[in-house]
Amino acid sequence: LPFQVSAQNETNITLQWFKVSTTNFVLQFNGTETNISSPDGDGPVTHTVSSLTAGTRYTFTLFSVIGNVRNSGEQLTAVT
């Protein structure tokens, strides 16, 4: 489940990835988890993480979830 930064500024990072079927997702960073529902239709999934601190390195881990089973996750590091 590769994902990438599609946009960013000093306080926001927008992540983008392609979904597989009707998978839901969990995004982890800074000790928090955010559940992200799979959108209807085809195309990429985008999620913006806001209220970040400028000049800070963040490591995001994205998991796909099918039923109650979570995959091993993919990591991405980005700097605001």
Side-chain angles (χ1 to χ4, degrees):
L1 181 70
F3 66 119
Q4 63 186 9
V5 174
S6 64
Q8 68 186 85
N9 60 31
E10 291 184 347
T11 58
N12 300 316
I13 294 176
T14 299
L15 304 171
Q16 183 178 68
W17 63 92
F18 287 93
K19 68 176 186 168
V20 179
S21 68
T22 57
T23 305
N24 290 317
F25 307 94
V26 173
L27 181 67
Q28 277 184 348
F29 80 102
N30 280 8
T32 65
E33 287 192 354
T34 303
N35 293 306
I36 302 168
S37 297
S38 183
D40 294 333
D42 295 329
V45 180
T46 58
H47 179 76
T48 300
V49 181
S50 57
S51 302
L52 301 175
T53 303
T56 302
R57 177 186 300 266
Y58 292 94
T59 299
F60 300 96
T61 305
L62 182 67
F63 301 92
S64 60
V65 181
I66 300 174
N68 290 324
V69 179
R70 184 184 291 194
N71 76 349
S72 58
E74 292 285 332
Q75 283 196 335
L76 172 70
T77 300
V79 180
T80 51

Short mmCIF file of all heavy atoms in Angstrom, two decimals, residues 5 7-14 48-55 79-80:
data_model
loop_
_atom_site.label_atom_id
_atom_site.label_comp_id
_atom_site.label_asym_id
_atom_site.label_seq_id
_atom_site.Cartn_x
_atom_site.Cartn_y
_atom_site.Cartn_z
N VAL A 5 3.30 11.96 -0.22
CA VAL A 5 2.86 13.31 0.10
C VAL A 5 2.43 13.96 -1.21
O VAL A 5 3.20 14.02 -2.17
CB VAL A 5 4.00 14.12 0.75
CG1 VAL A 5 3.59 15.57 0.94
CG2 VAL A 5 4.40 13.50 2.08
N ALA A 7 0.78 17.12 -1.15
CA ALA A 7 0.89 18.57 -0.93
C ALA A 7 1.33 18.79 0.51
O ALA A 7 1.06 17.96 1.38
CB ALA A 7 -0.45 19.26 -1.19
N GLN A 8 1.99 19.90 0.75
CA GLN A 8 2.37 20.23 2.11
C GLN A 8 2.71 21.70 2.22
O GLN A 8 3.03 22.35 1.24
CB GLN A 8 3.53 19.37 2.60
CG GLN A 8 4.86 19.64 1.93
CD GLN A 8 5.90 18.65 2.39
OE1 GLN A 8 6.00 17.56 1.84
NE2 GLN A 8 6.69 19.01 3.39
N ASN A 9 2.58 22.21 3.44
CA ASN A 9 3.05 23.55 3.76
C ASN A 9 3.60 23.49 5.18
O ASN A 9 3.92 22.41 5.68
CB ASN A 9 1.94 24.59 3.57
CG ASN A 9 0.72 24.34 4.43
OD1 ASN A 9 0.82 23.81 5.53
ND2 ASN A 9 -0.44 24.71 3.93
N GLU A 10 3.69 24.62 5.85
CA GLU A 10 4.33 24.63 7.17
C GLU A 10 3.53 23.91 8.25
O GLU A 10 4.09 23.49 9.25
CB GLU A 10 4.60 26.07 7.61
CG GLU A 10 5.66 26.76 6.79
CD GLU A 10 5.97 28.15 7.29
OE1 GLU A 10 5.20 28.68 8.12
OE2 GLU A 10 6.98 28.70 6.85
N THR A 11 2.22 23.78 8.07
CA THR A 11 1.40 23.18 9.13
C THR A 11 0.52 22.03 8.67
O THR A 11 -0.17 21.43 9.49
CB THR A 11 0.50 24.26 9.79
OG1 THR A 11 -0.32 24.84 8.78
CG2 THR A 11 1.33 25.33 10.46
N ASN A 12 0.49 21.72 7.38
CA ASN A 12 -0.36 20.66 6.86
C ASN A 12 0.42 19.75 5.93
O ASN A 12 1.27 20.22 5.17
CB ASN A 12 -1.55 21.22 6.05
CG ASN A 12 -2.43 22.11 6.88
OD1 ASN A 12 -2.76 21.79 8.01
ND2 ASN A 12 -2.83 23.23 6.31
N ILE A 13 0.10 18.48 5.96
CA ILE A 13 0.65 17.51 5.00
C ILE A 13 -0.54 16.71 4.47
O ILE A 13 -1.33 16.17 5.24
CB ILE A 13 1.67 16.57 5.65
CG1 ILE A 13 2.92 17.35 6.08
CG2 ILE A 13 2.05 15.43 4.69
CD1 ILE A 13 3.96 16.52 6.82
N THR A 14 -0.67 16.67 3.14
CA THR A 14 -1.72 15.87 2.51
C THR A 14 -1.09 14.60 1.95
O THR A 14 -0.14 14.67 1.18
CB THR A 14 -2.43 16.66 1.40
OG1 THR A 14 -3.03 17.82 1.98
CG2 THR A 14 -3.51 15.82 0.73
N THR A 48 -5.68 14.87 4.72
CA THR A 48 -4.82 15.97 5.16
C THR A 48 -4.66 15.93 6.67
O THR A 48 -5.63 15.87 7.42
CB THR A 48 -5.40 17.32 4.73
OG1 THR A 48 -5.50 17.35 3.30
CG2 THR A 48 -4.52 18.47 5.18
N VAL A 49 -3.40 15.96 7.10
CA VAL A 49 -3.06 16.04 8.52
C VAL A 49 -2.72 17.50 8.78
O VAL A 49 -1.82 18.06 8.15
CB VAL A 49 -1.86 15.13 8.86
CG1 VAL A 49 -1.54 15.20 10.34
CG2 VAL A 49 -2.16 13.69 8.43
N SER A 50 -3.47 18.13 9.69
CA SER A 50 -3.30 19.56 9.92
C SER A 50 -2.79 19.84 11.33
O SER A 50 -2.59 18.92 12.13
CB SER A 50 -4.61 20.29 9.67
OG SER A 50 -5.63 19.75 10.49
N SER A 51 -2.58 21.10 11.61
CA SER A 51 -2.10 21.58 12.92
C SER A 51 -0.74 20.98 13.27
O SER A 51 -0.48 20.65 14.44
CB SER A 51 -3.12 21.28 14.02
OG SER A 51 -4.36 21.88 13.74
N LEU A 52 0.12 20.85 12.28
CA LEU A 52 1.47 20.34 12.51
C LEU A 52 2.40 21.50 12.85
O LEU A 52 2.06 22.66 12.64
CB LEU A 52 1.96 19.59 11.27
CG LEU A 52 1.10 18.40 10.86
CD1 LEU A 52 1.61 17.80 9.55
CD2 LEU A 52 1.07 17.34 11.95
N THR A 53 3.58 21.17 13.33
CA THR A 53 4.57 22.18 13.70
C THR A 53 5.57 22.35 12.57
O THR A 53 6.12 21.37 12.06
CB THR A 53 5.31 21.74 14.98
OG1 THR A 53 4.33 21.53 16.01
CG2 THR A 53 6.31 22.78 15.44
N ALA A 54 5.81 23.60 12.17
CA ALA A 54 6.75 23.89 11.07
C ALA A 54 8.15 23.38 11.41
O ALA A 54 8.58 23.44 12.57
CB ALA A 54 6.78 25.38 10.79
N GLY A 55 8.83 22.86 10.39
CA GLY A 55 10.20 22.40 10.57
C GLY A 55 10.35 21.12 11.36
O GLY A 55 11.42 20.84 11.90
N VAL A 79 8.69 16.19 6.22
CA VAL A 79 9.06 17.33 7.04
C VAL A 79 8.21 18.52 6.64
O VAL A 79 8.06 18.82 5.46
CB VAL A 79 10.55 17.66 6.86
CG1 VAL A 79 10.95 18.87 7.72
CG2 VAL A 79 11.42 16.46 7.22
N THR A 80 7.66 19.22 7.65
CA THR A 80 6.88 20.42 7.36
C THR A 80 7.79 21.60 7.14
O THR A 80 8.95 21.58 7.54
CB THR A 80 5.92 20.76 8.52
OG1 THR A 80 6.67 20.76 9.72
CG2 THR A 80 4.80 19.77 8.61
#
